[in-house]
Amino acid sequence: MRRISYSGASFLTTAAVADALLPLVIALGISQTTETLELPAVNSTGKPMTVKLVVGPQSELISIPEESPGEIADTAAALAYLRARTQTLTPPEPFAFYETGAVTDFDPDFDFDSDRHEIATTT
């Protein structure tokens, strides 16, 4: 489990949710977007709960490992959403650009007569 500290408060969630949340916050910052999230968590007595938070470009999160008094039953939907949003907001990797040069054999006597579409050589 991991404790997420955010805006003067904290909550306990799974390591997988915490690991998916942080890249999303980075992607939101890059895209200058704010989003409301509902994340699975546990309270201090170990009972499951849902945490609602708004994250965006100015969000500062801390993820700290911690022992849990309880377990979160199902995080699959939250994980799928966090990962999908991160992928949507993350710009694609730029294509590799390779500069190539061409070397040709140049014959200064070669001439192409474009009006007649014939190749003529000058001697």
Side-chain angles (χ1 to χ4, degrees):
M1 300 292 277
R2 298 201 58 94
R3 178 161 302 279
I4 302 293
S5 294
Y6 174 68
S7 191
S10 67
F11 60 94
L12 198 58
T13 190
T14 64
V17 169
D19 290 345
L21 175 62
L22 297 178
L24 175 59
V25 171
I26 292 168
L28 289 167
I30 292 169
S31 67
Q32 296 295 306
T33 305
T34 302
E35 192 157 328
T36 302
L37 301 175
E38 293 186 8
L39 302 176
V42 294
N43 64 18
S44 60
T45 63
K47 291 185 180 177
M49 66 177 190
T50 300
V51 176
K52 294 181 182 182
L53 65 153
V54 177
V55 292
Q58 300 301 320
S59 297
E60 295 179 3
L61 302 177
I62 299 172
S63 176
I64 304 167
E66 186 175 312
E67 293 295 321
S68 169
E71 290 297 320
I72 300 173
D74 186 20
T75 60
L79 285 171
Y81 179 81
L82 293 171
R83 290 175 180 153
R85 287 297 294 148
T86 301
Q87 184 175 9
T88 299
L89 294 169
T90 303
E93 293 293 323
F95 290 106
F97 175 75
Y98 298 99
E99 188 172 329
T100 59
V103 178
T104 60
D105 292 331
F106 179 71
D107 181 359
D109 294 330
F110 182 80
D111 182 29
F112 178 74
D113 184 353
S114 60
D115 292 335
R116 295 185 305 160
H117 299 292
E118 292 179 4
I119 297 174
T121 56
T122 308
T123 55

